[in-house]
Amino acid sequence: MKKPFVAGNWKMNTDSNSSVELGKCIASASLEAAGHDVTVAVCPPFVYLQAVARALSASSVAVGAQDIYYEPKGAFTGEISASMLKDIGCTYCLCGHSERRHVIGETDELINKKVAAGIGGGLLPILCVGELRAEREASQTNEVVTRQMKNGLAGLSAEKVSAVTIAYEPVWAIGTGLTATPQQAQEVHDFIRKLLGQMYDGRLAEEIRILYGGSVKPDNAADLMGQRDIDGALVGGASLKADDFLAIIQAAV
Ligand code: PGA
């Protein structure tokens, strides 16, 4: 039985005090709320990662980075490597979040290098995939997701891919208040799981966790995570309010 996984992506929000406060609040309450039945992680901005990781080190809440760079070290001004993240107590890293794909301009090839570097550096990457609104309207969702999955995981063995979590995040649902219906989300999750079965094997496809992201809120979380192939949630806006995030964790149990 897979443990559900709820991760909070704080994006470019919080400050030095509120990041630690939010982390502590989630850690103390989520232990009571869900015990060890849910994997919980928060992804603060880089500058607050170490402080949040320290504050949560004795808790069961893990810390993730919102991005990484694929080179281990050297002259890459402004970038952060997997080993640096590991060094400060980071467990997860988002790779290919839609804002990095569509605002910053990251390509599948770059994202693939980041996923590989994350695994190589001992982190657990969360590879984000998802279609734009126009792509959904043109019935290209499966095609887009297939491309992002195959390119994003290119060259990685089944053993390596078992360290990866997939997050399906339709771009039109992120931060818009528009959520995919549980059925729409389930259809794509089922498609991704079958695709993993073709790319690797049935066992890996069953074991890998596929999270849904895009305007997950306390009032839609249970319906979404109740779907057969939805193993948890990647939460943006609602992860910034401890009560909302805790309600989503509770809905995952
Ligand atoms: P949202 O963001 O929950 O605010 O839609 C989700 C995400 O970007 O991961």
Side-chain angles (χ1 to χ4, degrees):
M1 182 66 187
K2 263 172 297 187
K3 236 195 211 191
F5 182 8
V6 177
N9 173 11
W10 295 355
K11 308 193 180 185
M12 202 170 70
N13 293 296
T14 69
D15 59 26
S16 55
N17 289 325
S18 65
S19 57
V20 172
E21 275 315 301
L22 179 58
K24 281 187 181 162
C25 213
I26 289 162
S28 58
S30 64
L31 264 183
E32 285 164 32
H36 294 283
D37 296 335
V38 185
T39 305
V40 179
V42 294
C43 303
F46 277 131
V47 281
Y48 309 130
L49 257 175
Q50 185 165 20
V52 175
R54 276 196 186 132
L56 302 187
S57 61
S59 84
S60 63
V61 176
V63 172
Q66 297 175 16
D67 184 33
I68 61 167
Y69 194 59
Y70 62 86
E71 292 287 356
K73 63 178 180 171
F76 303 100
T77 302
E79 297 296 342
I80 312 276
S81 71
S83 60
M84 291 171 177
L85 293 167
K86 190 82 189 152
D87 182 38
I88 57 134
C90 211
T91 305
Y92 295 93
C93 58
L94 302 183
C95 293
H97 185 276
S98 78
E99 284 142 23
R100 298 212 59 89
R101 288 179 190 270
H102 300 293
V103 181
I104 317 286
E106 289 193 3
T107 62
D108 279 330
E109 289 64 33
L110 176 60
I111 293 161
N112 176 237
K113 288 182 180 168
K114 293 185 174 193
V115 174
I119 299 169
L123 297 174
L124 302 173
I126 302 174
L127 172 63
C128 305
V129 299
E131 81 287 3
L132 297 164
R133 179 200 280 265
E135 291 166 336
R136 174 162 279 267
E137 285 169 358
S139 304
Q140 291 168 347
T141 300
N142 292 353
E143 197 184 308
V144 170
V145 165
T146 301
R147 191 192 65 230
Q148 293 173 337
M149 289 284 298
K150 288 199 168 163
N151 292 342
L153 298 176
L156 294 170
S157 65
E159 195 197 332
K160 289 202 165 146
V161 172
S162 64
V164 176
T165 299
I166 306 296
Y168 168 59
E169 300 204 301
V171 182
W172 48 272
I174 296 178
T176 58
L178 293 173
T179 318
T181 64
Q183 292 70 27
Q184 281 174 322
Q186 165 57 27
E187 261 176 38
V188 184
H189 281 237
D190 172 60
F191 177 80
I192 292 172
R193 204 176 298 287
K194 290 189 174 131
L195 180 65
L196 284 164
Q198 288 160 21
M199 290 166 64
Y200 299 97
D201 58 71
R203 209 186 68 170
L204 180 97
E206 265 317 306
E207 283 173 1
I208 224 166
R209 289 186 290 193
I210 308 175
L211 316 183
Y212 170 79
S215 298
V216 176
K217 308 281 178 226
D219 61 0
N220 60 24
D223 278 350
L224 285 159
M225 291 188 279
Q227 300 297 310
R228 187 200 175 277
D229 290 295
I230 302 185
D231 306 314
L234 179 54
V235 186
S239 72
L240 293 168
K241 293 189 207 116
D243 287 349
D244 284 357
F245 191 58
L246 290 164
I248 294 169
I249 294 168
Q250 198 60 263
V253 183

